[in-house]
């Protein structure tokens, strides 16, 4: 952690020296942008640099605003999807409960069918069909 702080401090000092065009001993030095300029030229250069920085800051502000709008839109989408997933979870729980109920009923029906109740029902239905056929035959023959 101390190493990182030392690196940041030395980097900041280096950047400060570069910005102030100093050689580290407190003495200003000329660079390729300031050489051959008088005081008015340096002031003009400073104004130009400040204007460029202002333009860069405006572009950065637009980028940050655009990023903010994108982040807000993504957040709204995430909220929507979260609500949809919650609704789907509730619907799935309801369907699961209904399915368990149907499976329970099928198990009861299966037990009853295997116990012979269905055979008696089948014989009764067969007898009812035979009686219906005889009644229909008798109606057709006697009418």
């Amino acid at each position: 952690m101390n190493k990182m702080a030392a690196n940041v401090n030395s980097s900041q000092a280096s950047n400060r020296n570069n910005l102030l065009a100093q050689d580290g001993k407190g003495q200003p030095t000329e660079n390729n942008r300031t050489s051959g300029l008088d005081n008015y030229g340096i002031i003009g250069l400073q104004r130009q640099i400040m204007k460029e920085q202002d333009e860069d800051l405006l572009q950065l502000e637009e980028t940050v605003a655009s990023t903010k709008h994108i982040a807000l839109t993504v957040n709204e989408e995430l909220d929507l999807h979260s609500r949809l997933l919650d609704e789907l979870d509730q619907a799935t729980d309801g369907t699961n409960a209904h399915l368990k109920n149907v499976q329970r009923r099928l198990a009861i029906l299966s037990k009853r069918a295997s116990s012979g109740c269905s055979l008696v029902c089948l014989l009764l239905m067969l007898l009812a069909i035979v009686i219906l056929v005889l009644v229909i035959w008798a109606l057709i023959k006697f009418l």
Side-chain angles (χ1 to χ4, degrees), residues 2 4 12 53 89 96 121 123 131:
N2 289 338
M4 224 168 76
Q12 288 175 346
Q53 289 174 345
D89 187 41
N96 190 25
C121 290
L123 288 175
I131 291 172

Side-chain angles (χ1 to χ4, degrees), residues 13 20 47 69 98 117-118 125 132 136:
L20 297 175
R47 286 184 181 153
H69 292 300
H98 183 69
C117 177
S118 62
M125 290 179 86
L132 281 173
I136 293 173

